Amino acid sequence: KRPVQLSLPARLLHPGANTLTFRLRADAGYRAGLSPPLIGPADDIAERSATQVFWRVGIPIATSVFSLFVGGFCLLLWWQQRDGLCFWAGAGEMLWAATVTDAVIERVTVPWPWWGFALIVLRAAWAWSLYAIGEQVFGRRPTIERRAMAVVQWSVLPIALAIGLLEST
């Protein structure tokens, strides 16, 4: 997920056309791939690589840390005031921080299908927290709407489990 910079010794390059072959090994469904390689002088590539590191690593980390602080603050307010809005806002921010952090985690200790399952469940819980925030602000929704939301949210578990067991995307 983090850009990688490789330096090739000049003695490996020949006048005319050169071929560079990449062989990738990645777990199925883990959004694996390779961005277009940049080839050129090391100084130019280092500058472009730093920009990519900023957008692909720096911004997600900053977002996650900010979300953790906001979530912690909201949960602290909830602890003091027992206000449902503070609880759901804090829970939502913590869940959002966890899902954003996935963008920068290079290696996980859980095999891919189960890591994907955990991410799907985290995102579903985050979506539920958004719905709960809406209910706290605008009032309790009609029963049919609440049941429909519950069915959609709870259906994530068997669907994510099937994806994990079938090692499918």
Side-chain angles (χ1 to χ4, degrees):
K1 296 177 186 176
R2 171 184 278 275
V4 176
Q5 185 173 347
L6 302 173
S7 296
L8 300 175
R11 67 179 184 274
L12 294 179
L13 302 174
H14 306 289
N18 290 281
T19 302
L20 186 59
T21 304
F22 296 95
R23 291 186 184 199
L24 301 177
R25 185 203 163 278
D27 294 325
Y30 198 57
R31 298 179 307 181
L34 181 67
S35 298
L38 303 174
I39 299 173
D43 293 338
D44 295 343
I45 299 302
E47 184 179 316
R48 292 182 76 178
S49 178
T51 302
Q52 290 297 316
V53 168
F54 173 77
W55 286 107
R56 292 184 189 182
V57 178
I59 294 294
I61 288 174
T63 302
S64 184
V65 168
F66 179 74
S67 291
L68 286 172
F69 278 120
V70 170
F73 182 71
C74 289
L75 290 174
L76 181 62
L77 283 175
W78 170 77
W79 184 261
Q80 293 174 343
Q81 300 176 5
R82 299 294 190 225
D83 180 15
L85 180 60
C86 292
F87 172 78
W88 287 112
E93 282 294 322
M94 293 293 186
L95 291 164
W96 178 249
T99 58
V100 169
T101 302
D102 174 60
V104 295
I105 296 174
E106 290 290 330
R107 298 176 205 268
V108 293
T109 56
V110 180
W112 160 245
W114 301 110
W115 180 248
F117 173 77
L119 290 175
I120 290 170
V121 171
L122 282 173
R123 287 186 182 110
W126 171 73
W128 182 261
S129 73
L130 292 179
Y131 183 77
I133 289 169
E135 278 200 329
Q136 293 294 314
V137 173
F138 300 111
R140 191 171 177 90
R141 306 304 302 153
T143 303
I144 189 75
E145 180 182 306
R146 290 180 57 78
R147 286 185 181 159
M149 272 300 289
V151 166
V152 168
Q153 293 299 314
W154 284 104
S155 67
V156 167
L157 290 172
I159 290 170
L161 188 59
I163 288 171
L165 290 173
L166 298 172
E167 296 184 9
S168 170
T169 58

